[in-house]
Amino acid sequence: MSARPAFALGDAAQPAPVAESVLTRARILVVDDDAGARRLTRATLNKSGFTVIEAANGQLALDAMMQALPDLVLMDVSMPVMDGFTACETLRRLPGGSRIPVAMITGLDDTPSIDRAFEVGATDFITKPINWSVLPHRVRYMLRASSAIHNLEQNERRLSNAQRIGEMGDWEWRVDQGFIAPSAQAWRLFGHAEADVAAAAAPPQFFATVHPDDRDRLHRACEQAVANGEGFAIDHRILLADGTVRHMQQQVEVIERDPVGRALRLAGAVHDITRRKDAEEQIRRLAYYDPLTDLPNRLLFTEQLGLALAQAERHQRQLAVMFVDLDNFKRVNDTLGHKAGDELLRVTSARLAAVLRRNDALARSSEPHGHSIARLGGDEFIVLLTDLQRSEDAANVAQRLVDTLAEPVFVQGTEIYVGGSLGVAMYPADGSDIDTLMMNADTAMYRAKEAGRSGFQLYDRSMNARALDRLHMETQLRRALERNEFVLHYQPRIDVLSGRIVGAEALIRWQHPERGLLMPGDFITLVEDAGLVIPIGEWVIGEACRQNAAWCADGLPLVPVAVNLASTHLRERGLPSLVARTLARHQLPASGLEIEVTESILLAEPELSIRIAQELATMGVQLSIDDFGTGYSSMSYLKRLPISALKIDRSFVRDLETDPDDEAIISAIIALAHSLKLKVVAEGVETQAQLAFLQAHHCDEYQGFLTSRAITPDAFARLHRQAGAAGAPGSAAASGTTGPCPTTTRS
């Protein structure tokens, strides 16, 4: 059988001994130098069930008590070595000695000894000659009284601890006598010094620390309770001497009334609820405020807008709702990282709020702090303007916001330009309810983006058709991958000196089921907004490899096909394994694939990008920097990237014949690339003069309309085949930069 635990939930409690049994088993210390008196006392008390310990003088008594305290002491006054007075006084100083009842035994007429006994801490006295029949009853009475006092002290201590731990206190107000008797904890909770705990205080003194803004409310509640004889509950604040504010909850009851029902005595329980209030405020902030910018969130804004609409309807006033969207936030987030994006949002929100504070006459709200701007999420903000006289007032504020967003921002030591687009909807002209106003402001914002960004648009009804069209396009875009609606066209890359085809760039098109072939400019923004950059990039890699393998299977020489990837894609840890699987699936050598990325890969997590690029280079995939010169380049990082080529952006090539600065920039890029043993590819070459300049400055390759625009796979194959049949100038195999295809199976 296992041992039974000392205590288990659900066990039936053993019956406790009755109090009388406890008393009769009490240990009594008898201290007397008269051995005969001790024997009589022991015999008398033993008959009543008490356990008796004896000591012949005060010192021996103290020695015994140092070992174990008795439940009661019977102490003779006059004894050798140490008298009873000294022994009693010393006992009171022992740990636990203060609660032991001590009865001093004195002569009947020895009044000075009795007085002295109480001075040194005696509980009672017994006069000689002792009445032996009464002695057990006297002892039992003293034990009961001691136990009652001990229990009372223990209960008071427990109550005090409970009040202290629970931050509670109590008080009693004697209305007829004009004073309040507070507990020590109540006195402390009301901000009074603990050293000055008052047994009784006048109500104005006790309530003096109540917050001035709450004082009249508490005073009225107390007056009403006294007059009506009814209790009340109230929450109020306490203002401490150091300026700290605490929140109190009081429950007050009437415990005595006069014949007409007026209160004579009130009892109050006070509870410090500051922690609860702080938690409620924290919950409120979590529910209603954006943790990043500390601005109201969508939930709080819609509540504000609902109140503002009700007031505008009641007073026949106008208000405006503005949607604000940052124009280049995604690029900053992708290139500099999320920490930089968060910093940009904090700086931008502070700037927008500052503009609105300068226009308080136009931008008011129901919030005590005058918040009229909220963050909806991401890089979207929304503004509420109330009490407008005309729509031009809203337009003026919108222009100020646009101007503020156009100012440069320093993020992580980098100066960036973000800009913003705003859409404005007016009440009541553009909507009379929350959903309609917010939807129309959002629609106007998208129209501002389509109009060129960094501006604002006032809503008009014609925008709804465009918004629905955009929504429809985004829905179709999400299905385009599943339905295989994307296609790749290929623009030849030409050797500058020989004119041979030495590569191709794959450019995506959308074969829209209703609108025909769409260029990237018609849908690439939707791709970014819909979060489809990575899956579409993976499809492009797969399709480019499949097509190149198919050309090889048809007998065309192998040339590298370049695909453009977003900078975020080169930070995808799974990219190298994806590329390796794709090459293996189509039996295409790694030299048949080239990956183009912009300089922005060097801005966010450059070490990760470099590591991934090195993994790609190790398997034989080439890497080139697209649109070089338009972004941000760190030479220390650039030289560590395993790149094979720099591509000069078309914006420098376009004005080459008329702008000396562009000539200087292109010459510098070519020199830099060759010093790093990199090829240079010029984009957007359209004229013979541009080509002549590139030839004179030893540019390696070019692509552009001068030779061919991006064409279908079949058209590219025909062009490639014709060039090869002509033996040069279009023979890729003859250029020495490419080779024949390996033996492949057409996918």
Side-chain angles (χ1 to χ4, degrees):
M1 179 180 291
S2 60
R4 182 175 177 82
F7 177 77
L9 289 176
D11 284 351
Q14 297 297 319
V18 296
E20 199 64 26
S21 299
V22 174
L23 294 178
T24 56
R25 291 200 303 271
R27 298 171 66 253
I28 311 300
L29 175 60
V30 177
V31 188
D32 199 325
D33 60 333
D34 185 344
R38 293 201 308 271
R39 284 194 298 273
L40 284 172
T41 304
R42 183 178 66 241
T44 302
L45 295 178
N46 283 158
K47 284 182 181 180
S48 297
F50 295 110
T51 300
V52 177
I53 307 166
E54 298 180 31
N57 57 57
Q59 184 59 57
L60 292 175
L62 290 175
D63 292 343
M65 286 187 282
M66 292 291 287
Q67 300 298 319
L69 290 175
D71 296 305
L72 183 141
V73 179
L74 295 178
M75 182 94 69
D76 191 26
V77 170
S78 300
M79 292 180 294
V81 183
M82 180 183 291
D83 61 31
F85 299 128
T86 305
C88 181
E89 191 172 24
T90 306
L91 166 64
R92 293 309 186 203
R93 294 196 294 269
L94 293 178
S98 61
R99 63 180 182 83
I100 304 301
V102 178
M104 304 295 287
I105 301 175
T106 66
L108 182 61
D109 296 326
D110 192 0
T111 303
S113 294
I114 296 172
D115 293 339
R116 173 66 176 150
F118 283 117
E119 289 175 4
V120 298
T123 307
D124 201 353
F125 66 94
I126 298 174
T127 59
K128 295 180 180 179
I130 296 174
N131 187 330
W132 299 107
S133 63
V134 174
L135 179 61
H137 299 292
R138 290 287 300 274
V139 169
R140 195 171 288 113
Y141 174 79
M142 283 188 288
L143 288 171
R144 287 198 192 98
S146 174
S147 178
I149 293 171
H150 174 67
N151 289 339
L152 180 61
E153 291 174 348
Q154 190 177 50
N155 288 338
E156 288 179 349
R157 187 167 55 253
R158 287 174 177 170
L159 176 61
S160 178
N161 288 337
Q163 289 190 345
R164 177 178 53 80
I165 295 170
E167 297 184 303
M168 300 179 68
D170 66 278
W171 51 263
E172 184 176 316
W173 185 353
R174 299 276 186 143
V175 178
D176 53 342
Q177 299 178 30
F179 70 84
I180 289 178
S183 67
Q185 184 67 5
W187 185 259
R188 186 189 67 80
L189 288 177
F190 269 87
H192 303 298
E194 292 188 34
D196 302 328
V197 175
Q205 177 191 5
F206 181 63
F207 293 126
T209 56
V210 174
H211 196 285
D213 294 344
D214 297 341
R215 199 169 291 158
D216 288 343
R217 187 163 54 88
L218 177 61
H219 180 69
R220 287 194 301 271
C222 290
E223 281 188 335
Q224 187 173 358
V226 171
N228 299 338
E230 296 179 357
F232 64 92
I234 189 171
D235 291 356
H236 63 82
R237 291 164 294 172
I238 293 293
L239 182 61
L240 303 183
D242 62 358
T244 302
V245 174
R246 307 289 294 178
H247 294 269
M248 300 294 154
Q249 183 180 71
Q250 291 209 70
Q251 186 74 36
V252 180
E253 292 185 357
V254 177
I255 57 176
E256 186 178 350
R257 298 172 178 83
D258 65 13
V260 298
R262 287 176 56 86
L264 294 176
R265 282 196 302 156
L266 300 176
V270 57
H271 183 200
D272 188 332
I273 57 172
T274 305
R275 292 182 186 177
R276 192 185 81 191
K277 287 289 187 180
D278 290 345
E280 289 174 352
E281 177 60 22
Q282 180 67 16
I283 291 171
R284 180 180 179 276
R285 293 205 68 81
L286 290 173
Y288 284 107
Y289 286 85
D290 171 51
L292 179 64
T293 62
D294 206 33
L295 292 177
N297 60 16
R298 179 188 292 269
L299 180 60
L300 179 55
F301 182 84
T302 54
E303 290 185 7
Q304 291 177 348
L305 180 54
L307 293 173
L309 284 172
Q311 294 175 0
E313 182 180 10
R314 186 179 307 114
H315 301 292
Q316 298 297 300
R317 294 172 180 167
Q318 295 187 79
L319 61 79
V321 174
M322 297 182 179
F323 255 74
V324 184
D325 188 87
L326 305 186
D327 289 333
N328 296 304
F329 175 74
K330 188 176 187 303
R331 190 176 73 179
V332 172
N333 219 27
D334 289 345
T335 56
L336 295 179
H338 292 292
K339 288 185 179 179
D342 289 348
E343 184 180 344
L344 174 61
L345 289 172
R346 283 191 290 266
V347 172
T348 301
S349 63
R351 286 187 176 183
L352 294 174
V355 170
L356 294 171
R357 281 195 294 272
R358 292 197 299 269
N359 295 276
D360 278 339
L362 294 177
R364 293 195 288 268
S365 86
S366 58
E367 272 290 288
H369 302 296
H371 290 308
S372 56
I373 178 172
R375 182 186 176 210
L376 297 185
D379 61 341
E380 290 185 334
F381 299 86
I382 191 165
V383 173
L384 170 64
L385 304 179
T386 60
D387 294 342
L388 298 178
Q389 302 300 317
R390 52 185 184 161
S391 60
E392 287 80 359
D393 294 334
N396 291 336
V397 176
Q399 187 60 57
R400 293 189 187 99
L401 294 175
V402 169
D403 294 342
T404 295
L405 293 174
E407 296 173 3
V409 179
F410 283 89
V411 174
Q412 295 184 349
T414 302
E415 185 181 42
I416 58 177
Y417 291 83
V418 182
S421 301
L422 278 75
V424 184
M426 301 290 299
Y427 168 87
D430 302 327
S432 58
D433 59 83
I434 294 174
D435 291 340
T436 302
L437 281 170
M438 293 181 69
M439 180 182 67
N440 290 344
D442 190 30
T443 299
M445 182 270 293
Y446 276 109
R447 184 68 185 94
K449 282 188 176 294
E450 293 171 0
R453 304 193 175 201
S454 295
F456 72 91
Q457 288 283 328
L458 298 175
Y459 173 80
D460 67 64
R461 296 184 185 279
S462 65
M463 293 179 180
N464 273 340
R466 297 179 65 90
L468 289 173
D469 180 64
R470 178 185 175 85
L471 181 62
H472 183 56
M473 280 280 287
E474 183 171 330
T475 302
Q476 290 180 312
L477 181 64
R478 292 184 180 276
R479 297 173 181 169
L481 266 178
E482 303 171 8
R483 297 176 177 177
N484 201 31
E485 293 174 357
F486 291 115
V487 295
L488 293 182
H489 284 189
Y490 300 86
Q491 186 173 40
R493 209 164 72 192
I494 310 299
D495 182 82
V496 166
L497 295 179
S498 68
R500 300 184 180 98
I501 296 176
V502 291
E505 180 179 359
L507 298 168
I508 193 168
R509 306 287 187 261
W510 181 8
Q511 190 64 55
H512 194 280
E514 301 166 2
R515 306 185 186 193
L517 192 67
L518 299 181
M519 298 294 105
D522 296 324
F523 63 88
I524 204 66
T525 301
L526 281 175
V527 169
E528 295 171 351
D529 292 343
L532 296 174
V533 170
I534 300 299
I536 289 180
E538 293 177 353
W539 176 86
V540 170
I541 293 172
E543 175 60 18
C545 289
R546 185 203 65 77
Q547 184 60 67
N548 206 357
W551 285 329
C552 282
D554 286 342
L556 290 175
L558 176 68
V559 294
V561 175
V563 298
N564 291 280
L565 295 185
S567 58
T568 52
H569 212 153
L570 204 66
R571 295 196 294 273
E572 289 288 317
R573 289 178 170 83
L575 179 62
S577 60
L578 169 75
V579 170
R581 291 194 307 271
T582 304
L583 292 171
R585 183 167 68 251
H586 298 295
Q587 301 181 34
L588 182 73
S591 59
L593 177 66
E594 184 174 332
I595 291 178
E596 294 183 3
V597 291
T598 63
E599 298 165 275
S600 58
I601 65 165
L602 300 170
L603 293 179
E605 300 185 87
E607 296 296 338
L608 175 61
S609 298
I610 290 171
R611 186 166 68 250
I612 292 173
Q614 288 171 342
E615 290 181 36
L616 292 169
T618 299
M619 67 176 71
V621 175
Q622 299 181 69
L623 187 74
S624 61
I625 301 297
D626 194 20
D627 301 335
F628 187 79
T630 61
Y632 166 86
S633 293
S634 167
M635 293 297 108
S636 63
Y637 284 127
L638 189 62
K639 69 180 183 179
R640 293 171 56 193
L641 276 173
I643 55 178
S644 59
L646 299 181
K647 300 189 73 174
I648 301 174
D649 185 69
R650 66 182 67 249
S651 62
F652 300 123
V653 176
R654 181 180 57 243
D655 300 324
L656 187 58
E657 302 168 53
T658 58
D659 191 339
D661 290 339
D662 285 340
E663 292 184 1
I665 290 172
I666 291 177
S667 299
I669 292 175
I670 293 173
L672 171 65
H674 287 168
S675 68
L676 295 174
K677 297 181 173 55
L678 303 176
K679 290 186 300 184
V680 184
V681 182
E683 297 181 296
V685 177
E686 298 181 359
T687 68
Q688 286 292 341
Q690 293 168 347
L691 178 58
F693 178 88
L694 296 173
Q695 290 171 333
H697 288 80
H698 309 293
C699 181
D700 300 294
E701 301 171 7
Y702 77 91
Q703 60 190 78
F705 290 177
L706 178 62
T707 298
S708 173
R709 66 180 64 243
I711 52 181
T712 66
D714 291 343
F716 181 86
R718 286 194 297 271
L719 180 64
H720 198 2
R721 200 181 305 279
Q722 291 167 3
S731 174
S735 70
T737 60
T738 60
C741 283
T743 302
T744 60
T745 302
R746 178 151 187 175
S747 340

